Amino acid sequence: MTMITNHMPTAELQALDAAHHIHPFSKNGEFETTGARVITRADGVTLTDSEGVELLDAMGGLWCVNIGYGRHELADVAARQMRELPYYNSFFKTTHVPVIALSKRLAELAPGDLNHVFYASSGSEANDTNIRMVRTYWAELGKPEKQIIISRKNAYHGSTLGAASLGGMTAMHAQGGLPLPDMHHIDQPNWWAEGGDSDPAEFGLERAQQLEKAILELGENRVAAFIAEPVQGAGGVIIPPETYWPEIQRICDKYEILLIADEVICGFGRTGNWFGSQTMGIRPDIMTIAKGLSSGYIPIGGSIVSDKVAEVIAGCEFNHGYTYSGHPVAAAVALENLRIMDEEGIITRVAEDTGPYLQEKWRALADHPLVGEAKIVGMMGSIAMTPDKSTRAAFAEPGTAGLICRDRCFANGLIMRHVGDRMIISPPLVLEKSDIDTLIERATKSLDETYARLKADGVI
Ligand code: PXG
């Protein structure tokens, strides 16, 4: 058998990849002609590919490498834990030290009475847990008809059947017979794209009040929970108007609807606090966590649950769990990641130092002729590209500018993702000021080149 290594020619690796590997969210047939980029190593905020090209990773992998690449402490902890206790479960009245320690730490970090953790290996699985948990909660309270979960159009909550049903992505619902029953989606608070002539504050209120309308229409006795990200990530980093979240909280309180904050992206420092719920001033009953919990070094996710919900669930046998719920190696690595975040003051830097530095430079991108709005909270930002700033016009063919800009970014040594014609960043939180200068310089160059190309093509 041939050993496949980093030293093989790129074309050979690409051919093997195209022959045997099905990529997520991709048109896999294309890899036969174009070949996927082979990433071979990473350190700090920089990736290296098989051709030796270095890329500044302004997406932190997939919004997850919060402490940056190359932290050997995590590898050491994983190796130590694998030697001591590589696996055991917590199904049959057993537990282990890494899961005890991580749960205690998460209870300390999470706001309010969010003191209990149910583990999964990903955000999708954790959201599936949430669906079953909130429905079980109401059933245990004698209200089994409270089944409906309200979410938002264009939301992303994962790819399993349950999580993709919670999500509001039409392209996902179109495949595989989704959504599951008793899922309802209201509009997202995306003022830039959908606000028309309205004032952002009024628009935020209107979008939040859609929740109240939905509860009244569907029946208060039928609605179990509302789920949303504090700031929509994969939907395009949509930072809601300031009026939005207080109104949502008021409505959840008034109708006693459980509030699930999906913190898979916003959690663990991304918005300048441990959790996005703190930044947005909300009091969720459940928080979904994953990604930054381990900085992506190992798969782990979960649901942090309030005393109120946990007490009810504790009264029944909750018939739910994964082989890898609270996996000892994943728990130990996550705990080490949290130690590093805490001891190195990484979140304080996002809140008070490098965060504001990035924010100022990012917002200044709004002066570019192609950029309509440039928004950012903590270290998650987006810019909306438009053919006409004054009318907030969309491109005739959505994604025209986004695709060109994404490719220009790659060519200029920057990984910045596009969602339609929005460009988004979610870099490692350990970005230095010099990295931020490089990021902005490369982003500006890529925007200039995109603008020139759109002009040459007669699109603008
Ligand atoms: N909730 C949110 C808010 C997410 O962003 C999930 C749940 C699901 O997590 P898992 O671990 O099951 O993937 C996510 C994941 C993208 C992209 O291209 C975003 C995600 C995943 C893959 C791609 O923006 N977010």
Side-chain angles (χ1 to χ4, degrees), residues 41-60:
R41 57 190 72 250
D43 193 39
V45 299
T46 308
L47 300 168
T48 307
D49 75 11
S50 52
E51 295 293 294
V53 174
E54 294 196 340
L55 298 154
L56 192 153
D57 184 8
M59 280 309 297

Side-chain angles (χ1 to χ4, degrees), residues 25 59 62-63 121-127 156-160 163 229 231 233-235 262-266 288 290-291 300 417 419 424:
F25 281 95
M59 280 309 297
L62 268 181
W63 323 75
S121 298
S122 67
S124 302
E125 286 178 0
N127 276 328
Y156 188 77
H157 294 296
S159 273
T160 51
E229 289 177 87
V231 176
D262 187 333
E263 295 269 3
V264 167
I265 285 177
C266 293
T288 321
K291 294 194 191 272
I300 183 167
R417 196 156 124 33
V419 174
I424 58 188

